[in-house]
Amino acid sequence: NMFNTANWKFQYSLCAISFIYLIHNTEAYTREIVNDKPPLQERPPWLHTCKRSNPNENKCFRELFEGCFPALAAGIPEIGVKSFEPLTIDQVSLSKGSGNLILTGGFQNLVIRGPSNATVKRANLDLMRRQLNFELELPRLRIKAKYNLKGNILLLPLVGSGDVAMALKNVNTAVRTKISLHNETTTGDEIIHIDEMKVSFQVGAMRIHLKNLFNGNEILAASINSFLNQNGNEVIQELRPDLELGLADIFHGLWNNVFSKMPTKLWLI
């Protein structure tokens, strides 16, 4: 087993922490989006309708849900919904200072390409049970960002800043939510609000490259990047709980922003 030796344990810890910064601040919270644009008052061509009494009949809600993706990819400025393609995140920061891990820093200007190519495997809306669940297949996600890290791992100084690039292939994502129905504040129209969200995922393969680690120490940087790319599945498995929390954190706010501008009167008839 590759993690049995002290050397492997050290390399694994170092690589895992570097990777996790890309996705998630360990202190989870919901990033609600402030949006003062008015909600839709007329149904656009891309918004299909389903029966309120049985929105899942003949896979109606799945087709409705998937039908929104081209509009979300382009962005809907009239209701304040920014383009999902690329998906941008201003900053992910982290501060941890206990035990063998003392690190501060974060990532800025994350640009994620590929979300709009998702295929909806399943989508289910249950108004009685207050649940909205869906499963997506994403063939490829490409992430670019700036990073900065400073601190110590197992007493070894870690300092670096620069560019990072990552590619994830064959990402299968399942999203489970608890919802409530609210009246929109300006119009009084009924909207769906996501109260809780849980995300789980599987990744087929990962490639990652962190530039300028250890203030440009090419030997250590090459070792870390090589380790990540050779053992991506093991790293992702160990980081799964944190990654899933991070994805839920981001998507929770994004989908609430969308649903807040789509009154149910336009698509549940």
Side-chain angles (χ1 to χ4, degrees), residues 28-197:
Y29 61 97
T30 301
R31 306 183 189 195
E32 296 288 4
I33 296 173
V34 177
N35 181 358
D36 59 2
K37 294 285 186 178
L40 290 169
Q41 289 303 304
E42 295 184 2
R43 186 176 64 83
W46 50 264
L47 183 58
H48 300 172
T49 61
C50 293
K51 295 180 181 178
R52 187 182 184 98
S53 59
N54 187 2
N56 306 299
E57 185 177 2
N58 297 323
K59 300 181 180 179
C60 184
F61 182 69
R62 184 189 68 76
E63 294 176 357
L64 182 156
F65 191 71
E66 191 169 47
C68 296
F69 278 33
L72 295 175
I76 315 171
E78 62 268 28
I79 59 173
V81 174
K82 294 183 179 180
S83 171
F84 274 33
E85 188 65 45
L87 181 62
T88 60
I89 302 172
D90 292 336
Q91 183 170 337
V92 177
S93 59
L94 181 136
S95 179
K96 185 173 178 63
S98 63
N100 292 323
L101 175 60
I102 302 173
L103 284 176
T104 60
F107 286 76
Q108 302 80 37
N109 304 323
L110 288 91
V111 179
I112 307 172
R113 299 185 184 276
S116 64
N117 293 324
T119 299
V120 181
K121 294 175 60 180
R122 296 181 182 84
N124 181 277
L125 174 63
D126 191 325
L127 295 174
M128 292 294 294
R129 296 183 179 181
R130 298 293 193 262
Q131 295 177 350
L132 192 165
N133 304 322
F134 56 92
E135 296 179 16
L136 306 177
E137 287 184 344
L138 299 99
R140 183 180 177 89
L141 292 178
R142 291 178 291 123
I143 304 171
K144 290 187 177 181
K146 297 286 185 180
Y147 81 92
N148 63 83
L149 305 174
K150 182 178 181 181
N152 295 274
I153 295 179
L154 298 178
L155 304 180
L156 178 69
L158 173 61
V159 179
S161 63
D163 298 322
V164 59
M166 181 167 60
L168 302 177
K169 291 184 178 181
N170 300 324
V171 181
N172 292 305
T173 304
V175 179
R176 303 286 182 264
T177 77
K178 292 184 179 180
I179 63 172
S180 55
L181 299 175
H182 292 263
N183 292 327
E184 203 275 331
T185 55
T186 58
T187 65
D189 291 331
E190 181 189 72
I191 60 172
I192 283 179
H193 184 270
I194 296 174
D195 299 325
E196 299 178 22
M197 176 179 284

Side-chain angles (χ1 to χ4, degrees), residues 2-31:
M2 67 180 176
F3 298 113
N4 285 341
T5 68
N7 182 50
W8 278 119
K9 287 182 179 179
F10 162 72
Q11 289 191 48
Y12 171 75
S13 299
L14 192 60
C15 296
I17 294 302
S18 298
F19 175 75
I20 196 171
Y21 281 161
L22 294 173
I23 305 294
H24 178 54
N25 182 337
T26 54
E27 183 179 350
Y29 61 97
T30 301
R31 306 183 189 195

